[in-house]
Amino acid sequence: MATIFYTATSLDGYIADQNNALDWLFQFGELEPNTFDDFLAGVGAIAMGSTTYQWLYDHDFSAESDNSQPWPYPVPAWVFTSRPLPLIADADVRFVEGDVRPVNRDMAIAAGEKHLWIVGGGDLAGQFYDAGLLDEMVLQVASVTLGGGAPLFPRRVDPPLQLLSANTYGANFVELHYSVSYAFSDQP
Ligand SMILES: NC(=O)c1ccc[n+]([C@@H]2O[C@H](COP(=O)([O-])OP(=O)(O)OC[C@H]3O[C@@H](n4cnc5c(N)ncnc54)[C@H](OP(=O)(O)O)[C@@H]3O)[C@@H](O)[C@H]2O)c1
């Protein structure tokens, strides 16, 4: 079981543009072959921040949305927020706030042997990293730059990530799979 930040990102390190839009990503359609379904089959619990949840709500579930979809995740979801958010029917969601460590514990219990997926955003993944809980990153790097937006991982990473694999998908994507290392020290 690993805690994994799996996300698409622009070449210059943004996972959404300044308007929280993803059309820069959706213009490419699905990756071929699509690795996401295999990844999701190995996931037992997910976590996301409120902007990501609100994006899902606005696009697929709000009264204004003309894109009615079922909740896409077959596993329990933890949504980090400090404010009330709209509920989504039939979505197995828990709203939580603050320290990621107790949430990580609850997610691990729910997931059993399966992985924990940090959906995003980047700072939430960074909070798991800060707590020494992030094990891997899988980054699908698209061949576009955005010049600004929601940052991929607003942290200094040291020691360096260890590259496990790099695969190309057509002319527009590289998938980078890293393990995360930590420099734990007994020094005060
Ligand atoms: N490219 C991709 O594949 C991909 C993947 C995922 C997401 N996205 C997109 O990327 C963007 C990410 O947005 P974002 O950077 O704002 O990140 P986010 O993690 O989705 O949302 C950040 C917000 O979550 C809440 N939050 C985070 N940590 C918290 C904590 N420990 N306790 C309580 N609340 C906490 C805070 O808001 P409040 O306290 O005000 O609620 C914070 O401002 C979204 O547009 C999303 O749709 C893209």
Side-chain angles (χ1 to χ4, degrees):
M1 189 267 280
T3 299
I4 303 172
F5 181 32
Y6 178 110
T7 188
T9 176
S10 70
L11 201 51
D12 56 346
Y14 297 101
I15 64 171
D17 73 12
Q18 288 101 331
N19 302 314
N20 286 313
L22 296 175
D23 45 333
W24 58 272
L25 177 62
F26 294 153
Q27 70 178 319
F28 298 116
E30 288 194 348
L31 287 195
E32 291 294 342
N34 185 354
T35 59
F36 178 71
D37 290 345
D38 287 345
F39 170 74
L40 191 59
V43 166
I46 68 175
M48 68 183 75
S50 62
T51 313
T52 301
Y53 178 86
Q54 187 76 52
W55 187 95
L56 284 165
Y57 177 82
D58 291 345
H59 283 76
D60 294 339
F61 302 99
S62 68
E64 294 74 34
S65 168
D66 54 1
N67 186 31
S68 180
Q69 302 269 345
W71 176 248
Y73 305 117
V75 297
W78 278 257
V79 175
F80 283 82
T81 187
S82 60
R83 59 202 161 87
L85 292 172
L87 297 176
I88 297 175
D90 301 326
D92 184 355
V93 169
R94 299 120 171 93
F95 296 105
V96 290
E97 180 173 3
D99 192 343
V100 298
R101 289 171 296 181
V103 177
N104 191 83
R105 273 195 294 277
D106 291 347
M107 292 174 70
I109 291 167
E113 297 297 306
K114 291 190 158 185
H115 299 313
L116 313 187
W117 175 24
I118 312 305
V119 181
D123 182 69
L124 182 63
Q127 292 175 50
F128 282 82
Y129 175 76
D130 295 344
L133 293 170
L134 190 65
D135 301 306
E136 298 177 23
M137 293 197 208
V138 178
L139 308 178
Q140 295 175 332
V141 184
S143 59
V144 292
T145 59
L146 298 175
L152 169 65
F153 201 69
R155 292 291 186 283
R156 177 169 179 156
V157 172
D158 182 33
L161 306 173
Q162 298 299 305
L163 186 64
L164 300 176
S165 65
N167 292 302
T168 56
Y169 294 91
N172 300 110
F173 283 95
V174 178
E175 184 177 87
L176 303 172
H177 184 183
Y178 293 103
S179 68
V180 177
S181 303
Y182 292 97
F184 293 119
S185 164
D186 294 332
Q187 302 297 318

